[in-house]
Amino acid sequence: MEERKPNYRFATPRPDHIMVSIYDDPRTSMAVTWRTSEDVKTGYVEYREEGGETMRAEAVGKIFKSDVNTSVIHFARLSGLKSGARYYYTCGSEKDRSGEFYFETQPDNLDEFSFICISDHQKDDDHYDPDYSALNKFLKGVLEEHPEVKFILTAGDNTNCGQHEIQWNAMYEGMKGIIEYRPYMMCCGNHDNRGFEQYFPVEVNRYYAEPAEFFNVQLELSYPLNGPEGWRPENYSFNYGNAHFNVFGVNEPEIVNDWASKDIDSCGKTWKFGAYHFPMYYSGSNLSNDDGYPMMRECMEKLDVLFSGHEHNFSRTYPIKNEELFDRPSQGTVHYELGNGNYNPPGTKTLDKIWHCAYYPNEELTASYTLIEISGNKAKFTSTLNDGRIVDECVIDKDKDEILPHKVAPVFGPGRTRLYYKGMDPGLGISDILPVCRDGQWYVPAGTLISFIGGDVLREKGKMTLSVYGKTAVYIEGSDIAVTDSGEVPLGGEVIRGNRDQLFVPIDSMCKIFGMKWAYAARNNFLTVESSNESEPTPTQP
């Protein structure tokens, strides 16, 4: 059998990877980025307004030394442009130039415009030759239907392994005929800074680059350099019309939070959007949100809408603040999970959760995008599949402080406190075995909860032994001590017998023993238990 060779799509003297992007005021500036082989170290952009004289902007050439090759990334930052104008341009060297493309600058005083969001459009259908042609066809169809779209914003995982050039080269080829005309504003996902010490013929020793090396080098001057120092441009912000956008990387959340909180406070825009790859209010049965919460809670709760991806399915939350679910947009942040942009069904089971007001599993072989239409103080969001089916449609109206269609966040009555694990209702086994609060301390039916998670539960008279996530604890009725595999742990209260003769334990000590965390949403009257452990426990079968 003949050994397969990768399709590297190496650079040549002729420009490729041509992309326009916003790096400063979109009314008067635009960045043009392209790639050439190593022997072409200089280049420039020639541009002209329709019917106007041709101007020239010199590019800055940066060496990009990848895992397999060396090339030059050229960045030309055009400034002093006329607002609301169309410019035609070519890029390259004196000898090797691109064809002619065009871009448009933002008009002055703009408060009506649209953009699209996509996420998780990476492809690894062929390890040696990733094929992004379906993405190309899909997005061109979207833009034919919506020619008014001003730019494309992603929520990450633009590539499958961003520390390997073969993936970037395939992705850029898949975006040909699209990103030469409209700014392409990428968010860095975990796959975009993922690599392997050996990529061929099999992947060996996975790692994640911190900072996101290949992302940052290839886009160094494509995006604003206004993110936290040392973590640019995987973190950046930009304005368009009456909206402000914060684009977050997946590294150093504490540093990013400090930068973004100040940045959002000073933006002065009507709409505040964010893009962060990991969903804070996720759909997966075994996912966690420890990558960003609570470290980035401060900045994220300053946003109107936070776009995310990672799970390859669609969901939209109620406005959320400090774990509480609300009805009105002024009361919290809407977390909007975008689905997948390139026929990538979820790899794990996803579920509708307590915090979702809209959900679609995306388990069909589909692609999706979201169109956002801004009109003053209104924003309409339409999430659509490649076959035209609308997954979700909503309008956020700041003047009326409402979201249409109306969906009231759940509020449970006194004495009916609910318990959720990773946003999931533990089901029939706990339907009337509800948490109780005594002397300001919450008690929960731990045996029923651990059974739901998939742990082992041994019930004996006045005693239960619980095991999950590699930890074991023995609880005895009337005792304020749990015996664990790490020794005795004080519970802060005695184990009590509750409804249907179940043993209840203090939630705080239970979470500490099993490496979990918990929160109480006072407005909605429910408890949530979280674990950063993303394994899938299964009861032991002797």
Side-chain angles (χ1 to χ4, degrees), residues 258-402:
D258 291 342
W259 159 72
S261 294
K262 297 181 181 75
D263 182 76
I264 296 166
D265 284 343
S266 63
C267 75
K269 294 294 184 178
T270 302
W271 292 97
K272 301 171 183 68
F273 298 111
Y276 181 68
H277 183 60
F278 296 128
M280 297 298 99
Y281 292 92
Y282 51 85
S283 304
S285 58
N286 65 325
L287 205 64
S288 68
N289 61 8
D290 277 10
D291 290 290
Y293 262 12
M295 300 83 83
M296 294 175 67
R297 183 191 299 276
E298 179 188 2
C299 71
M300 289 178 174
E301 290 187 346
K302 296 176 185 286
L303 300 169
D304 297 303
V305 179
L306 178 63
F307 298 108
S308 64
H310 191 59
E311 295 188 284
H312 299 213
N313 71 286
F314 171 84
S315 65
R316 173 169 59 88
T317 72
Y318 300 97
I320 299 178
K321 187 171 185 178
N322 195 29
E323 306 294 351
E324 295 180 313
L325 313 181
F326 294 94
D327 310 319
R328 299 187 180 279
S330 64
Q331 296 173 301
T333 299
V334 173
H335 295 256
Y336 200 105
E337 204 170 348
L338 291 162
N340 76 83
N342 196 8
Y343 307 90
N344 295 316
T348 58
K349 181 181 180 181
T350 62
L351 300 163
D352 198 358
K353 303 291 186 73
I354 182 63
W355 45 66
H356 293 146
C357 62
Y359 165 78
Y360 174 69
N362 267 118
E363 292 191 13
E364 302 172 86
L365 190 63
T366 55
S368 61
Y369 73 98
T370 299
L371 173 70
I372 299 92
E373 299 168 279
I374 305 295
S375 180
N377 287 345
K378 282 186 181 180
K380 182 180 180 181
F381 303 76
T382 307
S383 186
T384 306
L385 300 179
N386 58 289
D387 58 13
R389 285 177 291 163
I390 294 176
V391 171
D392 181 59
E393 189 172 84
C394 73
V395 174
I396 298 178
D397 189 328
K398 283 180 174 280
D399 290 331
K400 294 183 178 179
D401 197 18
E402 67 178 9

Side-chain angles (χ1 to χ4, degrees), residues 45 48 142 149 178 212 219 256 266 300 334 364 432 486 504 524:
V45 169
R48 60 181 175 84
V142 170
V149 162
I178 299 168
L219 301 165
V256 172
S266 63
M300 289 178 174
V334 173
E364 302 172 86
D432 63 346
S486 301
F504 283 61
N524 313 93

